[in-house]
Amino acid sequence: MKITVLHGQSHKGSTYHLARIFCDKLGGEVTEFFLPRDFGAFCVGCTKCFVQAETLCPHAERLLPITQALDEADVIVFASPVYVYHATGPMKALLDHYGYRWMVHRPQESMFTKQAVCLSTAAGAGTRQTNQDMADSAFFWGIARTYRYGVNVRAVSWDQVSQAQKERIEGKLSKLAQRVKRQVGRVRPGLKTRAFFHFVLWMHRWGWNEADTAYWQEKGWASGGRPWK
């Protein structure tokens, strides 16, 4: 099993420890990226990825290691602390670069059989919104199943989290890892994802975007093929 972790920060705080505990429970080969250390560029809004090709993005070469790791992973872990009620700026900056992979454009076929896990911590509140920020991309990438776990640790560092709470967190992450592990290689998209896929297919039949329409035809999706079969 291959796991790719996107850390929304470069330091190893509480959210990092959640991700590490989860990966240890899940088992497998782990590839980690720390933002903005491993990628910190902002999308410049040139739209070349949408209307021409993603290889024309001015940051395409720097993105390539992350893109390859996402494509090779069985499980993708998004891990972000709460910054002003939402995911961190570096996490958002990275996800902005994958807009071309949303289902309305050119989704990567392998995403439809992957699982994602969104993890977040807060000293106060905001884990629901932060996990939603990351889960939005997971859904629109076509990822078959996404899990969320957020916890208010009421501490600014992992060392300040009580042992009792650490044990509760470990127990919840252990159960979550077991759920994910059971579905590796077996998961398929739910009704919501399949319904949205069919809606986008209808749009492409009307020539939504030349580059996107050509992609869907090349994949065989316009003629009855499906990425999850």
Side-chain angles (χ1 to χ4, degrees), residues 82-86:
V82 174
Y83 283 10
V84 292
Y85 250 57
H86 289 281

Side-chain angles (χ1 to χ4, degrees), residues 148-210:
R148 312 175 197 199
Y149 176 63
V151 58
N152 181 354
V153 296
R154 300 187 184 277
V156 295
S157 72
W158 186 246
D159 291 339
Q160 295 177 3
V161 179
S162 70
Q163 185 60 35
Q165 185 171 27
K166 287 179 179 178
E167 290 174 0
R168 289 195 296 272
I169 290 171
E170 184 171 352
K172 290 181 180 296
L173 291 174
S174 180
K175 291 179 181 178
L176 178 56
Q178 290 302 315
R179 290 179 63 190
V180 173
K181 188 181 298 186
R182 286 194 295 268
Q183 294 298 321
V184 171
R186 302 170 51 192
V187 67
R188 294 294 181 270
L191 180 60
K192 183 179 177 181
T193 299
R194 287 184 278 127
F196 190 76
F197 180 92
H198 284 284
F199 171 72
V200 175
L201 176 60
W202 174 82
M203 291 196 308
H204 286 306
R205 285 173 176 162
W206 289 90
W208 170 253
N209 175 2
E210 185 176 346

Side-chain angles (χ1 to χ4, degrees), residues 48-53 104-106 203-218:
K48 289 181 179 178
C49 65
F50 292 136
V51 300
Q52 293 177 268
V104 293
H105 295 291
R106 300 187 300 280
M203 291 196 308
H204 286 306
R205 285 173 176 162
W206 289 90
W208 170 253
N209 175 2
E210 185 176 346
D212 298 342
T213 299
Y215 178 85
W216 280 61
Q217 290 174 344
E218 178 186 338

Side-chain angles (χ1 to χ4, degrees), residues 34-46:
F34 293 86
L35 309 173
R37 187 187 72 190
D38 295 323
F39 184 84
F42 292 101
C43 172
V44 298
C46 67

Side-chain angles (χ1 to χ4, degrees), residues 117-139:
V117 178
C118 300
L119 301 173
S120 64
T121 65
T127 59
R128 182 180 64 82
Q129 294 89 336
T130 296
N131 282 338
Q132 185 64 52
D133 290 339
M134 300 181 289
D136 282 343
S137 281
F139 172 76

Side-chain angles (χ1 to χ4, degrees), residues 1-151:
M1 183 194 317
K2 292 187 176 181
I3 307 163
T4 294
V5 185
L6 302 177
H7 293 282
Q9 76 294 313
S10 294
H11 67 277
K12 297 182 178 180
S14 296
T15 313
Y16 164 82
H17 283 85
L18 256 66
R20 289 306 308 166
I21 292 170
F22 174 76
C23 290
D24 288 344
K25 299 293 184 181
L26 188 59
E29 177 185 339
V30 179
T31 301
E32 297 178 288
F33 296 94
F34 293 86
L35 309 173
R37 187 187 72 190
D38 295 323
F39 184 84
F42 292 101
C43 172
V44 298
C46 67
T47 72
K48 289 181 179 178
C49 65
F50 292 136
V51 300
Q52 293 177 268
E54 62 272 17
T55 54
L56 299 178
C57 171
H59 310 130
E61 186 174 346
R62 293 170 60 192
L63 269 175
L64 190 57
I66 298 178
T67 304
Q68 290 176 336
L70 292 172
D71 291 347
E72 293 171 2
D74 299 295
V75 179
I76 297 171
V77 177
F78 301 88
S80 175
V82 174
Y83 283 10
V84 292
Y85 250 57
H86 289 281
T88 64
M91 178 66 79
K92 177 64 163 60
L94 174 68
L95 296 178
D96 283 348
H97 283 80
Y98 289 113
Y100 75 91
R101 284 193 165 207
W102 279 33
M103 274 189 276
V104 293
H105 295 291
R106 300 187 300 280
Q108 171 65 25
E109 190 169 5
S110 66
M111 292 293 163
F112 291 87
T113 55
K114 296 182 188 294
Q115 297 180 87
V117 178
C118 300
L119 301 173
S120 64
T121 65
T127 59
R128 182 180 64 82
Q129 294 89 336
T130 296
N131 282 338
Q132 185 64 52
D133 290 339
M134 300 181 289
D136 282 343
S137 281
F139 172 76
F140 287 109
W141 288 0
I143 290 178
R145 186 168 299 175
T146 300
Y147 306 86
R148 312 175 197 199
Y149 176 63
V151 58

